[in-house]
Each structure stands twice: as C-alpha cells, then as structure tokens.
Amino acid sequence: MESDEVQSVHVRELARALGRPTPDGHADRQVTLHTRRHDEAARTRTRLSPGATLTQLKAGPPRLLSDDEVLPHVSELASGLHRRWSTPHGKPDLVHAHGWIAGLAATAAARDLDVPVVQSYHSLGMIERKAGKSVHPARIRMEKAIGRGADAVLAGCVYEAEKLVRMGIPRTRIGITPYGVDSDQFNQLGPSLPRGDLDRLVVLSTDLEDGGTATAIRSLVHIPNAELAITGGPVREELEGDVTVHRLRLLAKELGVDDRVIFLGGVPRKTLPRLLRTAKLALCLAPYGTSPLAPLEAMACGVPVVATPVGGSADSVLDGITGLHVPPGRPTAIGRAVRLLLSEETTLAGYSIAAADRAHSRYSWDRIAAETARAYTKIVERCHPVEYSGEWETSTT
C-alpha cells in the first residue's frame, strides 16, 4: 500500500472501532469520519459501524489528488466542515484531524466554535525530506503551526513523539496511540499461497525506493537457502514498465540472486494474510521508518519481524522476543543475523508465538480504540470540564 492508503486504512478502522458498542454495553459514542470526495459516484454518507459514519465532502475535483493538489482546496473543505459544525445539532465534542492537510482544514473550521482539535500526522515532512522524498515547501512550517495550535497531538509511536518535541510542541500535549491490526483478517489460521522449498522472506513495502528493499536484496547474498518475496509498486501486470522495479532487478542480477527474488507488485489487502502465512520472516529495513502496519500484520500472522528500530517498528517489534532489531543499511550484518535465526528452529518458533500474541493483545483494534477514547475524554474534560455527549469527528483528505 502507498503511505496515504496506510493512513486511510488506519482512520477507517479506528472510526469503526470507536463506533462499536463498548464491552460494558454502552453504545452512546457517535463518530463521523469526514473525507474529501474522491469519486463522483461515491455515496455522500456511508455507515461504517453502529456508531460510525463516513461523510464525503466536495472540495476540488472528485479524483485522487496529491497533497500539493489538495492544498488550494483546503478553504473549501474547511467551509464545508464549518457549515456542518455550526448547526444546532452538528457541533462535535472533539475533532481529530489525520494528516497535515486535514489539520489545516479542521483548525480553520473549528477556530470560532470552541471545539477541541486533536492532530495526528501519520508522517512528518522532516522525516520524509530526510529520506529524500519531495516535500511541499510549506509543509514542515505548517506542521509545526498546526501542532502548536492543537489542543493535543497523538503520535503513532515514541519515535514520532520525540520528533514532535523537537518541533516545539509541548511534551505535555503529546500522547501516543499506535496503529492497530485487524485480527479477524490477519491471523495464523486460513489458506496460504503456494511456495517452494526455500525459506521465504517477505518485504511488505509502501515505497520501493525507501532503501529498505535494496538492503533486503543485498542481504540475500548472505542467506543462501532463502527467497525474497517483495510486495509494493504497481500491480504485477505493470511491473515490467516500472523504473524502480527495473533498477532493483538489475541489482539482484548483479549480485547473483535474481533467481531468488520475486516481485509481486501491489498485493490486494485480502491476499496479504495468505502471503504472510508462507513466510518464515518479514523484513522491514527502511532507514527512516517503515510502514507501521507492515510489522503488525506480519506478527499477527505469526511471522517474526527483522526490522530497523525506527518509527513504529521500534515499539512493536521486541528485539529478541518477537523478532530482531538490525542496523539500517548494513546488508552483511542483516544477512548473517537472518541466516543464524533461520537455522535456529526453536528460537524462530518462540518468536512466532510471541509475535502473534503481542499483535493480537497489544494492537487489537478494541484496545487501540479504548486508549484513543480515553485520550479524547481527557482532552475534552480539560478543555470543557462539563458533561459532554460523546460525539467525535475525524477528518482526513
């Protein structure tokens, strides 16, 4: 999945989980997820769960747009939100913005309504720029302003929280609510894809150019009895014309491992569990933060994770318990560590059990939703120390 798709999955699943009745039987929470209309044929309102609704707002052309393309339409998005929140029964108790563009729209819409605003970034411009990605010139400055003006900022991991402090956001206003994993979809039971006799290593990539995939290919030189299955990029039928895939294939050929590298392209989410159930290990090796979902979904399927200790992987992957932490950009060291782990079947089996247990207990959506709800309640009570209705709104572009 692309990084914005990862965010979309997280926001939808969080809204669904927040809207479901709580274990004690209460079902009085109402969550509305606002998003910009991407498809002219899409319904204006969609029920996500008993207490959660998706509302699509018109702002710009009804198609997928990059951040740069959405930016000129932020005022239109903010106006739509403000009109809704200004009605007698439309004012929410709290607004949670996901992404910096949504943060701009939400803070503008809520400015004169006395509604607490919570911000989650999912990805920071300073980190993306360090990773060599193109970042809008105003993004880093805007992210700082949004964070400093928000009533609270919820980071996805400790690594991100530390970056937020460096941005000048008061530590007392920063909380951590990690990503969750769908345990019904990602688990150890169920069908799996065909596989050969070699040990399969899987790379779940959101960006084939992030350095992690190239490192995994270089590491394979030191793991002679393994194959590398790589997801990401265009769909499989379009791989031949992809420049990045072509470059990575040349790298594999130069290293003499091209017969053990499989490019799967963009794999549908419903197929990912079937792929993961064929893997001995999942590799998350990007030097500046991997997808927060990748290690969780692998662990939920009982697959230990070998990861660089950055981003969400530093929190979710417990070194020597659910997988290994390895240094970024060190393919020889990584390859030797993986080869050693594959040779220790008892250790690998222990990691597998611990990985599945941690994913389903610590990162279940029920637990993540409960933690998020507690954070919302504290924020609302701090900003408005009176009884409130439990109506929350989230926005994403």
Side-chain angles (χ1 to χ4, degrees), residues 38-59:
H38 298 158
D39 182 354
E40 188 67 53
R43 296 171 58 185
T44 302
R45 290 177 63 85
T46 304
R47 190 172 185 250
L48 299 176
S49 70
T53 304
L54 169 67
T55 301
Q56 304 210 36
L57 303 175
K58 292 183 179 180

Side-chain angles (χ1 to χ4, degrees), residues 288-364:
Y288 297 107
T290 58
S291 162
L293 281 181
L296 296 180
E297 291 173 347
M299 289 163 56
C301 291
V303 182
V305 179
V306 176
T308 50
V310 294
S313 295
D315 296 355
S316 60
V317 180
L318 301 182
D319 187 31
I321 299 175
T322 66
L324 295 177
H325 287 173
V326 292
R330 298 276 299 279
T332 301
I334 294 170
R336 289 173 177 169
V338 169
R339 186 178 70 225
L340 179 61
L341 181 55
L342 290 174
S343 70
E344 298 179 348
E345 294 186 8
T346 301
T347 300
L348 195 61
Y351 285 5
S352 174
I353 294 169
D357 180 70
R358 179 166 173 76
H360 294 302
S361 59
R362 175 63 188 94
Y363 297 98
S364 70

Side-chain angles (χ1 to χ4, degrees), residues 126-365:
M126 64 167 63
I127 296 176
E128 293 194 10
R129 178 172 289 176
K130 190 175 182 180
K133 296 182 181 181
S134 176
V135 175
H136 190 281
R139 177 175 171 180
I140 296 175
R141 176 170 52 84
M142 288 290 96
E143 286 179 340
K144 291 179 180 179
I146 294 167
R148 292 169 181 173
D151 294 282
V153 178
L154 295 181
C157 59
V158 173
Y159 177 83
E160 182 184 352
E162 292 172 348
K163 296 296 182 184
L164 294 174
V165 172
R166 294 183 184 181
M167 287 167 54
I169 299 171
R171 191 181 295 273
T172 54
R173 281 197 268 133
I174 299 172
I176 298 176
T177 53
Y179 277 60
V181 65
D182 184 348
S183 297
D184 292 333
Q185 182 179 10
F186 292 89
N187 53 63
Q188 295 169 278
L189 304 176
S192 40
L193 297 178
R195 50 158 296 180
D197 296 329
L198 296 177
D199 290 335
R200 174 169 288 176
L201 312 175
V202 173
V203 173
L204 303 179
S205 176
T206 58
D207 181 3
L208 293 176
E209 295 184 347
D210 64 7
T213 304
T215 298
I217 292 173
R218 294 182 187 278
S219 300
L220 196 61
V221 174
H222 308 281
I223 319 168
N225 296 317
E227 66 179 14
L228 188 66
I230 300 169
T231 71
V235 294
R236 196 163 190 172
E237 294 74 19
E238 299 176 4
L239 287 175
E240 293 299 326
D242 188 82
V243 175
T244 303
V245 172
H246 178 68
R247 176 174 56 80
L248 292 171
R249 278 179 167 160
L250 284 179
L251 173 63
K253 189 172 184 178
E254 290 171 1
L255 295 171
V257 297
D258 53 306
D259 60 330
R260 295 189 286 125
V261 176
I262 307 166
F263 287 91
L264 299 174
V267 176
R269 282 190 61 72
K270 64 181 181 181
T271 306
L272 282 180
R274 298 171 60 194
L275 170 64
L276 285 167
R277 293 184 191 117
T278 68
K280 285 292 187 71
L281 292 170
L283 307 184
C284 300
L285 305 177
Y288 297 107
T290 58
S291 162
L293 281 181
L296 296 180
E297 291 173 347
M299 289 163 56
C301 291
V303 182
V305 179
V306 176
T308 50
V310 294
S313 295
D315 296 355
S316 60
V317 180
L318 301 182
D319 187 31
I321 299 175
T322 66
L324 295 177
H325 287 173
V326 292
R330 298 276 299 279
T332 301
I334 294 170
R336 289 173 177 169
V338 169
R339 186 178 70 225
L340 179 61
L341 181 55
L342 290 174
S343 70
E344 298 179 348
E345 294 186 8
T346 301
T347 300
L348 195 61
Y351 285 5
S352 174
I353 294 169
D357 180 70
R358 179 166 173 76
H360 294 302
S361 59
R362 175 63 188 94
Y363 297 98
S364 70
W365 271 117

Side-chain angles (χ1 to χ4, degrees), residues 56-119:
Q56 304 210 36
L57 303 175
K58 292 183 179 180
R63 58 183 175 84
L64 290 173
L65 301 175
S66 66
D67 284 355
D68 289 9
E69 293 171 322
V70 173
L71 202 54
H73 306 290
V74 166
S75 59
E76 185 180 359
L77 189 61
S79 297
L81 293 171
H82 188 272
R83 282 194 298 272
R84 174 185 171 84
W85 297 342
S86 298
T87 60
H89 301 290
K91 183 178 176 180
D93 292 299
L94 176 141
V95 172
H96 188 175
H98 295 267
W100 73 285
I101 296 290
L104 289 173
T107 51
R111 183 175 296 122
D112 61 349
L113 298 177
D114 196 27
V115 175
V117 176
V118 180
Q119 177 67 36

